Amino acid sequence: MANKVTLKQIAQEVGLSPSSVSLVLNNRPCRISEENRKRIKEVAARNHYVPNQIARSLVMRESRTLGLIVPNIESRFFASLAGSLEKRCREDGYALFITSSGGSADDDLELLRQLVTRGVDGVFLVVGDEFSDDRALREEVSHLPIPAVMVDRAIEGLECDKVMFDHEMGGYMATRYLIEQGHRRIACLVNARRSNTGRKRLAGYERALREVGLPIDARLEFESEYYIPSAYEASEAVLATDATAVFASSDNIALGLLKRLHEMGKSIPGDISVVSYDNSAADVLFEPALTAIEQDPGVLAEHAFACMSKRLAGRGGKRAEEVVLEPALIVKGSVLDLTEYS
Amino acid sequence: MANKVTLKQIAQEVGLSPSSVSLVLNNRPCRISEENRKRIKEVAARNHYVPNQIARSLVMRESRTLGLIVPNIESRFFASLAGSLEKRCREDGYALFITSSGGSADDDLELLRQLVTRGVDGVFLVVGDEFSDDRALREEVSHLPIPAVMVDRAIEGLECDKVMFDHEMGGYMATRYLIEQGHRRIACLVNARRSNTGRKRLAGYERALREVGLPIDARLEFESEYYIPSAYEASEAVLATDATAVFASSDNIALGLLKRLHEMGKSIPGDISVVSYDNSAADVLFEPALTAIEQDPGVLAEHAFACMSKRLAGRGGKRAEEVVLEPALIVKGSVLDLTEYS
DNA sequence: TTGTTGTCATCAATCGATTGCAATATACCC
DNA sequence: GGGTATATTGCAATCGATTGATGACAACAA
């Protein structure tokens, strides 16, 4: 294990002052003779010298590092978001510090502090979606000495830049599409009890129904956690209704539903139509592929970075910016067109 | 956006020296009067003071931060590894800096440098698996001023701590199991052309065959990338052979195979038996569930951290440590027992 | 000789913490 | 009052870099 090489050591070996070495290695436009310039570079290279960013950012007051907090890096969506965001950051010369909180507001807070004290220049915050006491977190975010951008999920009423997909719109689009295809009895399977996004998607579902004068029937609204087994459990009741279509409000929920359907020997879309949300790779396996509401994490990353970039450059107004992205309806083959038969 | 509060400012407000404030806030056992102690804490809290870790680690010469480089954070396995590792690090008070390289040796090198200069105390390195020119990376790793642990994959011939699963053994176990179940014509679908791990799994497959005197038939060895569509393409040829079983050497490869099987109306294990590797969550959907070789990323994380921990504590020998973990065969229902019929 | 200009390189302060050692204050004892 | 313990607190160096101000020296002009 080699030792760390410092600027001073390089200076000593070359026989010049540390300042000169610093000047040369940073390519500062100053007059150091070509000869010394070359010798410094040569010695630095030979000794595998890398500047200590810690010391550097202490005086420069910036680290060109950004932080990201996600509730769970093992989720496909967040992993993909993290991947895209990191790529984007790197393009602009920023390193991205990815951390995963476990979803509780306490952990979010702890990680946020860690990042700040470690000198990141800004932080992307994907807060846990489920209910929890977020007063301390809220307090911390509003006192942050660096720019923060909330991504995908917001803390209500917090003055902070936000970039997110419109979940209500997603629920609306899915349901609206089913209605347009002639469906009238549409069930939904959502995580409204524990998730803000879930509640919004449910609201969109209900708006679509209301808009065309269809009744909102509590017997068609089913609850499921964002896990396959939970959705699998819940699906039995869903399939016992007279619904001709189901809006499954997440990829895992759709997978649980599919498993149950498969077991019961029911086919899609012949026996029942399905619109999914935010599909996972797994659904390439199914015939037909699932019609779904898609949210591209790359787009989210792009906008989040743009927002951050603005703040870092000192542009960007005093008030918080709010970017709302529309999800997309991707039509594949899991919805039966009932209008043909009318 | 609040300003950063420094130790000095707190000191000023309290009317004491920065040293005293530092001493108190770090709970150093020194005699500062109870009264001042309380006042300092009160003022620090009121001003949302958080110590600047950058400055701190400059003098302390440690940051209690570790780094992780994975080829692709969007892969389930790496995401899961990252998640487990982060949790483990946090338990010991370390923050984990997760970065994703894109899989090229150049990016690995770049990220490694970034991490080192940003003052991490140690780094976990999951290098890209495919062929590339890794001389520079190799050089850098051997000159690292901090401990490094290679995880899941190694650079051959590099003196460095390693923690990984035995891929050869995995291939062997899968094949051996199929043989024990009475199979004689066993095909395999591996990524041997571009992946080191793939080659090792293939070697295990061949060893199992050799061991019982079965012929190694090149016509039963098929090549596939680690992507579903690639495996899907390759599967047609696999299914045209007289094999009664297939060893699919990754989760995605198995999924591609399954898609093809499903399309052809073939059933598992009635028409053909399958042993998969490293199953993704998606396979909960299938009936029967897939028998597979499993590598628990949590176990990998645990051992990697233990290894790192040793180095950081200054224990751990001069020579590199090498931990090889055995994967596990998880028997579910995708293999037909031919011995029953003999 | 003195002054001017230009080139090359160094000095010393700074960033925000930590910490060994020195300093001050107060009390207590003889 | 002088000496010694004890309880508090401050000074100043340090970590490894950056950078504006400054110095040293040579060449050249007046």
Side-chain angles (χ1 to χ4, degrees):
Chain A
M1 214 164 69
N3 282 324
K4 293 205 181 176
V5 186
T6 71
L7 197 72
K8 214 193 285 184
Q9 288 166 30
I10 301 294
Q12 205 136 54
E13 183 165 339
V14 183
L16 289 173
S17 74
S19 341
S20 304
V21 178
S22 167
L23 259 13
V24 168
L25 294 181
N26 289 305
N27 286 313
R28 281 286 124 71
C30 80
R31 315 49 158 28
I32 302 283
S33 66
E34 261 319 311
E35 193 206 319
N36 283 340
R37 213 173 258 278
K38 249 173 53 190
R39 276 195 31 239
I40 287 174
K41 284 188 174 166
E42 192 266 317
V43 171
R46 181 152 44 75
N47 290 61
H48 296 277
Y49 171 76
V50 267
N52 181 329
Q53 286 289 343
I54 293 281
R56 190 168 217 260
S57 55
L58 185 57
V59 40
M60 304 287 270
R61 337 213 54 173
E62 66 154 24
S63 60
R64 292 200 79 76
T65 305
L66 298 174
L68 167 66
I69 302 175
V70 295
N72 175 18
I73 191 63
E74 302 186 38
S75 130
R76 271 190 59 81
F77 185 75
F78 296 136
S80 182
L81 174 65
S84 305
L85 201 49
E86 195 193 31
K87 221 167 286 164
R88 187 63 188 81
C89 287
R90 197 146 63 221
E91 279 172 25
D92 271 37
Y94 283 93
L96 183 66
F97 203 147
I98 304 169
T99 59
S100 170
S101 75
S104 90
D106 284 349
D107 287 346
D108 281 341
L109 180 58
E110 166 66 16
L111 285 177
L112 184 56
R113 290 211 174 115
Q114 291 254 11
L115 288 174
V116 170
T117 66
R118 278 182 166 76
V120 298
D121 297 338
V123 59
F124 299 101
L125 195 51
V126 186
V127 296
D129 183 41
E130 311 196 334
F131 291 132
S132 59
D133 180 11
D134 57 8
R135 267 173 309 172
L137 179 60
R138 187 186 293 266
E139 170 84 351
E140 189 80 6
V141 172
S142 60
H143 282 92
L144 234 40
I146 53 171
V149 176
M150 305 208 67
V151 183
D152 192 44
R153 295 140 170 213
I155 295 180
E156 300 289 336
L158 185 61
E159 178 82 4
C160 179
D161 287 355
K162 292 172 187 159
V163 178
M164 55 196 55
F165 279 103
D166 189 337
H167 300 289
E168 198 271 348
M169 179 62 82
Y172 173 82
M173 289 164 75
T175 312
R176 179 75 205 211
Y177 175 71
L178 286 168
I179 294 169
E180 283 165 6
Q181 297 298 300
H183 294 269
R184 290 298 171 265
R185 295 293 287 168
I186 302 171
C188 73
L189 192 46
V190 298
N191 185 355
R193 206 148 43 217
R194 317 216 320 134
S195 154
N196 273 312
T197 31
R199 259 191 308 288
K200 287 187 188 154
R201 290 172 192 175
L202 175 62
Y205 159 86
E206 293 185 344
R207 175 160 69 92
L209 294 179
R210 255 198 318 274
E211 198 178 81
V212 297
L214 283 173
I216 290 172
D217 186 342
R219 286 167 307 177
L220 289 181
E221 296 182 354
F222 295 90
E223 181 73 20
S224 163
E225 303 278 318
Y226 285 142
Y227 307 105
I228 295 179
S230 168
Y232 175 78
E233 284 308 315
S235 294
E236 186 162 14
V238 177
L239 299 174
T241 66
D242 60 346
T244 60
V246 184
F247 164 46
S249 76
S250 93
D251 52 352
N252 277 348
I253 289 179
L255 291 179
L257 175 66
L258 255 54
K259 185 175 163 71
R260 178 70 81 178
L261 279 170
H262 189 256
E263 265 181 34
M264 297 173 71
K266 297 209 173 185
S267 78
I268 297 176
D271 294 316
I272 196 159
S273 294
V274 173
V275 174
S276 173
Y277 214 106
D278 211 13
N279 272 356
S280 72
D283 79 316
V284 302
L285 292 174
F286 301 104
E287 272 321 322
L290 296 182
T291 291
I293 301 296
E294 295 276 358
Q295 319 179 103
D296 182 346
V299 172
L300 201 55
E302 192 60 45
H303 282 85
F305 185 83
C307 206
M308 176 65 76
S309 196
K310 229 182 198 169
R311 289 279 168 207
L312 289 172
R315 309 190 319 277
K318 189 165 169 121
R319 289 196 56 81
E321 188 171 348
E322 185 154 358
V323 179
V324 177
L325 303 168
E326 266 206 25
L329 173 72
I330 308 290
V331 175
K332 295 193 174 161
S334 63
V335 174
L336 192 66
D337 185 355
L338 297 180
T339 62
E340 287 177 5
Y341 306 98
S342 64
Chain B
M1 215 163 68
N3 281 325
K4 293 205 182 176
V5 187
T6 71
L7 197 75
K8 212 194 286 185
Q9 287 166 32
I10 301 294
Q12 204 135 54
E13 183 165 339
V14 183
L16 289 173
S17 74
S19 348
S20 303
V21 178
S22 167
L23 259 13
V24 168
L25 295 182
N26 289 305
N27 286 314
R28 282 283 125 68
C30 79
R31 315 44 162 26
I32 303 284
S33 64
E34 261 320 311
E35 193 206 321
N36 283 340
R37 210 173 260 281
K38 250 173 55 191
R39 272 189 42 234
I40 288 174
K41 286 191 171 164
E42 190 266 319
V43 172
R46 180 151 45 75
N47 290 63
H48 296 278
Y49 170 76
V50 267
N52 181 329
Q53 287 288 346
I54 292 280
R56 190 168 217 260
S57 54
L58 185 57
V59 40
M60 304 286 270
R61 336 213 53 171
E62 66 153 25
S63 60
R64 291 200 79 76
T65 305
L66 299 174
L68 167 66
I69 302 176
V70 295
N72 174 18
I73 191 64
E74 302 186 36
S75 131
R76 270 191 59 81
F77 185 76
F78 297 137
S80 183
L81 175 65
S84 306
L85 202 50
E86 194 193 32
K87 221 167 284 163
R88 186 63 187 81
C89 288
R90 196 144 67 220
E91 279 173 25
D92 271 36
Y94 283 92
L96 183 68
F97 203 149
I98 303 167
T99 60
S100 170
S101 75
S104 90
D106 284 350
D107 287 347
D108 281 340
L109 180 59
E110 167 68 15
L111 284 177
L112 185 56
R113 290 212 173 115
Q114 292 254 9
L115 289 174
V116 171
T117 66
R118 276 180 168 77
V120 298
D121 297 338
V123 59
F124 299 100
L125 196 50
V126 186
V127 295
D129 183 40
E130 311 195 337
F131 291 132
S132 58
D133 179 11
D134 57 7
R135 268 173 307 172
L137 180 59
R138 186 187 293 266
E139 169 84 350
E140 189 81 7
V141 172
S142 59
H143 282 92
L144 234 41
I146 53 170
V149 176
M150 305 207 68
V151 183
D152 192 43
R153 295 141 170 211
I155 294 180
E156 299 289 337
L158 185 62
E159 177 83 5
C160 178
D161 287 355
K162 293 172 185 156
V163 178
M164 54 196 55
F165 279 104
D166 189 337
H167 301 290
E168 198 271 348
M169 179 62 84
Y172 173 82
M173 289 165 75
T175 312
R176 178 76 206 210
Y177 175 71
L178 286 169
I179 293 170
E180 282 167 4
Q181 298 297 300
H183 293 270
R184 291 297 172 265
R185 296 293 286 167
I186 302 171
C188 74
L189 192 46
V190 298
N191 185 354
R193 207 149 40 219
R194 318 218 316 135
S195 155
N196 273 314
T197 30
R199 260 191 308 287
K200 288 188 188 154
R201 290 173 193 174
L202 176 61
Y205 158 85
E206 294 185 344
R207 174 160 68 93
L209 293 179
R210 257 197 317 275
E211 199 178 80
V212 297
L214 284 172
I216 290 172
D217 187 343
R219 286 167 307 177
L220 290 180
E221 296 182 354
F222 296 90
E223 181 73 22
S224 163
E225 303 278 318
Y226 284 141
Y227 307 106
I228 296 178
S230 169
Y232 174 78
E233 285 308 317
S235 295
E236 187 163 13
V238 177
L239 298 174
T241 66
D242 60 346
T244 61
V246 184
F247 165 47
S249 76
S250 93
D251 52 352
N252 276 349
I253 289 179
L255 292 179
L257 175 66
L258 255 53
K259 186 175 163 71
R260 179 70 80 176
L261 278 170
H262 190 257
E263 265 181 36
M264 297 174 69
K266 296 210 173 186
S267 79
I268 297 178
D271 295 316
I272 195 158
S273 294
V274 173
V275 175
S276 172
Y277 214 108
D278 210 15
N279 271 355
S280 70
D283 80 315
V284 304
L285 291 174
F286 301 105
E287 273 319 325
L290 295 182
T291 291
I293 301 295
E294 295 275 0
Q295 323 178 99
D296 182 348
V299 172
L300 201 56
E302 192 61 44
H303 282 86
F305 186 83
C307 205
M308 177 65 76
S309 197
K310 230 182 197 169
R311 289 278 168 210
L312 290 172
R315 308 190 319 275
K318 188 161 171 129
R319 289 196 56 80
E321 188 170 350
E322 186 155 357
V323 178
V324 177
L325 303 168
E326 267 207 22
L329 172 72
I330 307 290
V331 174
K332 295 194 174 161
S334 63
V335 174
L336 191 65
D337 185 353
L338 297 181
T339 61
E340 286 177 6
Y341 306 98
S342 65

